[in-house]
Amino acid sequence: LGVLEWVKPPRQARSAQTLERILEAAEELIAERGLEGTTVVEIARRAGSSVGSFYARFPDKEALLLSVLERFYEQSVATAKQVLDPERWQGVTLQDALRPAFLFLLHVFRERRGLITTFTLRAAREGDVAALGERLGQIVAAQVYELLQVRREQVSHPDPREAVRFATWMVLSALEARALHTTEAQSQIPEELIASELTRMCTAYLGIETEG
Amino acid sequence: LGVLEWVKPPRQARSAQTLERILEAAEELIAERGLEGTTVVEIARRAGSSVGSFYARFPDKEALLLSVLERFYEQSVATAKQVLDPERWQGVTLQDALRPAFLFLLHVFRERRGLITTFTLRAAREGDVAALGERLGQIVAAQVYELLQVRREQVSHPDPREAVRFATWMVLSALEARALHTTEAQSQIPEELIASELTRMCTAYLGIETEG
DNA sequence: TGTACATCAGTGAACGCGCGTTCACTGATGTAC
DNA sequence: TGTACATCAGTGAACGCGCGTTCACTGATGTAC
C-alpha cells in the first residue's frame, strides 16, 4: 500500500509543490476537525490551490486520507525505531528506560492528538487502517523485547515475549484512550504521574524486583 | 440530562409503544452500522413506523442518539453495581474476584461492541458524551475500591485509592481499544488469556503477594 | 348511549442543504523540427 | 533561436446525490354535554 497507489505522481516540479501543499493543508485540517469536518474546498483553499488540482492528484477524498495516514505511519515507525534503539539504553535499569519513554509517548500523543484520534476512529471501521495500527504496535513490541533481552534474568514472568506484547498493547491502548477522550478531568492527571504509574505497572507485571 | 429533555413524552399508550419500537430499532441499527451509517428513514422502517412519527418524538437525530446512550449508560451502571456487589465476593482472594470479573467485562464488550464503538467515537468529539463515560469509570473505580477495603492489608502500593483508579482506567482503556479495533489477529488472543494477564497485571501493580 | 369537536398519532412525498465530484476552459511547460 | 503543437497544471462554477427535516393531510382516541 504505497502512496503511488493513491496519488497520481506529478510530472512537473510545480505540481509536486502543489501536492505537498495539499497534503500539508489536509493534515492540518484533519488534525483540527477530523475528516468529516474537513471539506475538499477548504483543503484546496488553505493549500492556495483549487478543487480541480486536488482531483488531478487524488482519485477521491478517501485516497487523501490514506496518503496522510501513510505519511504519519512512516514517521511513527521511524521515531519508534530511533527512540527504542538499544544503543540509547545501555546500562540503564528498566525503570529508568521506561519512564522517559512513557513521558515521550505521552508527549507525542498529546502533540498529535488530532491525527491520532481521526485515524483511530477510522480504524474502528476500516480494516486496512486498523491493520496499520496493529503493525505499528507489533514493531514497538518487538523493539521493546530486544531491550528486555539484556535484562532477561531479572524478569520473573513465565513468558516474557508474550508479556511484553501484552504490556505494549495495554500501554498503547491507554494512550489511545487518553488521546480520544480529553475531558478536562482526565487531562488534569499530570503526565509525570501517568508515566510513573505505567512504569510501576509494567515492571511489576514483568516481575522485576524494584529497588525504589 | 434526563430522557425527558430530548424526548417529547407520549400521551397515549399507542405512541409509547411506537417510541419504544423506534428506540429498539435505532439501537440495533446504530450497533450494526454506527450513527452515520443509519438513516432516519431506515430507523422508521425497521420500527414499522414513519419518519413523521420519529420527528413527533425527537427534535432531531442527535436527540435520538442521546436517548439510546442514556439507556445504555443506565444499564451499564446497574450492571456494574450488581456485579461488584461486595456480597458476591466475600471470602474470595482478589485474583479469584478479578479474573471472573474481567471475563465478564470481555464478554460484555464483545456482545455490545457496536454500541460501545459508536459511543466511543462520539465521545471523542462531544464533551457531554465523554463525561458520561468518565462518570461510569469513576463509579466502577469506587466500587472496586470498596472491594479492596477488605483486603487492604495485602496491598503494598503506597496510594491504594489512586492505584485502583489508575488500574481501572487502564483496564477500561484496553477493553475499549479491543472493542474498537477488531482486526482478526487481535481477536485471536483468547479472552481467557487476556483475563489472566489483566489479573496478573493488576495484582502485581497493587503489590499483592500472589500464591500461584 | 350518541353526537360534535379537539387533540393526539401517524404518513410519506417533497424540500433543501452540504459537500464530493465533474468538466469545459485558460495558462504554463515541454518537445519536435 | 524560433515557431507549432502536445501535454501538464490549474481554475471554479455547476451538477447531483444522500439524507435530515418539514408539512399538508388522514385516521384514531379522548372529552363534553
Side-chain angles (χ1 to χ4, degrees), chain A residues 8 28 34 45 49 57 91 101 142 145 157 190 198 200 209 212:
Chain A
K8 188 169 162 193
E28 284 173 27
R45 194 176 45 204
S49 180
R57 295 290 149 232
Y145 185 65
H157 189 290
L198 282 178
R200 185 196 298 268
E209 58 278 13

Side-chain angles (χ1 to χ4, degrees), chain A residues 93-99 151 153-156 195-212, chain B residues 156-158 204-208:
Chain A
T93 67
L94 189 65
Q95 303 155 66
D96 292 343
L98 286 182
R99 228 189 84 96
R151 303 162 181 85
E153 67 288 347
Q154 302 169 25
V155 176
S156 77
S196 298
E197 292 309 294
L198 282 178
T199 304
R200 185 196 298 268
M201 183 174 265
C202 288
T203 50
Y205 170 65
L206 293 171
I208 289 175
E209 58 278 13
T210 53
E211 54 209 83
Chain B
S156 76
H157 189 290
Y205 169 66
L206 293 170
I208 289 174

Side-chain angles (χ1 to χ4, degrees), chain A residues 34 118 120-121 123-125 130 134 157-158 166 169-170 173-174 176-177 180-181 183 185-186 197-198 200-201 204-205, chain B residues 34 117-118 120-121 123-125 130 134 157-158 166 169-170 173-174 176-177 180-181 183 185-186 197-198 200-201 204-205:
Chain A
T118 301
T120 300
L121 304 196
R125 300 250 166 239
E134 202 180 331
H157 189 290
F166 183 77
W169 172 66
M170 287 289 293
S173 296
E176 182 182 291
L180 230 47
H181 322 292
T183 319
Q186 282 258 348
E197 292 309 294
L198 282 178
R200 185 196 298 268
M201 183 174 265
Y205 170 65
Chain B
T117 300
T118 301
T120 301
L121 304 198
R125 300 250 167 240
E134 201 179 331
H157 189 290
F166 183 77
W169 172 65
M170 286 290 293
S173 295
E176 182 183 291
L180 230 47
H181 322 290
T183 319
Q186 282 258 347
E197 293 308 295
L198 282 178
R200 185 196 298 267
M201 183 174 265
Y205 169 66

Side-chain angles (χ1 to χ4, degrees), chain B:
Chain B
L1 26 167
V3 173
L4 297 181
E5 292 183 42
W6 342 108
V7 184
K8 188 169 163 192
R11 307 277 167 99
Q12 298 177 8
R14 185 164 54 122
S15 70
Q17 287 165 15
T18 304
L19 174 58
E20 191 52 39
R21 290 203 316 277
I22 288 176
L23 280 171
E24 211 64 47
E27 184 173 310
E28 284 174 27
L29 285 166
I30 289 173
E32 287 169 21
R33 322 177 188 175
L35 187 69
E36 312 290 292
T38 301
T39 69
V40 173
V41 171
E42 270 176 322
I43 294 171
R45 194 177 46 205
R46 185 174 293 201
S49 180
S50 68
V51 181
S53 295
F54 179 95
Y55 281 95
R57 294 289 149 232
F58 301 95
D60 52 25
K61 203 187 175 191
E62 178 70 11
L64 167 78
L65 183 81
L66 293 176
S67 295
V68 174
L69 168 59
E70 197 155 71
R71 259 178 150 203
F72 183 78
Y73 171 75
E74 261 140 33
Q75 274 181 36
S76 304
V77 172
T79 307
K81 289 200 166 152
Q82 197 183 328
V83 170
L84 296 172
D85 181 1
E87 301 275 333
R88 291 188 54 165
W89 304 108
Q90 274 179 6
V92 173
T93 67
L94 189 66
Q95 302 155 66
D96 291 344
L98 287 182
R99 227 189 84 96
F102 289 148
L103 274 174
F104 176 73
L105 274 176
L106 283 159
H107 171 77
V108 171
F109 271 70
R110 173 161 39 78
E111 287 294 298
R112 316 220 66 186
R113 185 157 62 83
L115 276 192
I116 290 170
T117 300
T118 301
F119 293 142
T120 301
L121 304 198
R122 196 76 187 182
R125 300 250 167 240
E126 309 278 341
D128 46 346
V129 177
L132 264 199
E134 201 179 331
R135 232 199 287 167
L136 184 56
Q138 284 175 357
I139 290 173
V140 172
Q143 298 267 328
V144 173
Y145 185 66
E146 285 306 313
L147 288 183
L148 204 67
Q149 283 300 77
V150 193
R151 304 163 182 85
R152 192 170 10 184
E153 64 290 347
Q154 301 169 25
V155 177
S156 76
H157 189 290
D159 184 344
R161 175 156 250 142
E162 269 308 308
V164 166
R165 223 196 290 270
F166 183 77
T168 304
W169 172 65
M170 286 290 293
V171 169
L172 292 180
S173 295
L175 289 171
E176 182 183 291
R178 192 176 155 86
L180 230 47
H181 322 290
T182 311
T183 319
E184 296 70 36
Q186 282 258 347
S187 50
Q188 301 295 34
I189 309 179
E191 294 186 352
E192 280 75 18
L193 184 63
I194 295 186
S196 297
E197 293 308 295
L198 282 178
T199 305
R200 185 196 298 267
M201 183 174 265
C202 288
T203 51
Y205 169 66
L206 293 170
I208 289 174
E209 57 277 15
T210 54
E211 54 210 84

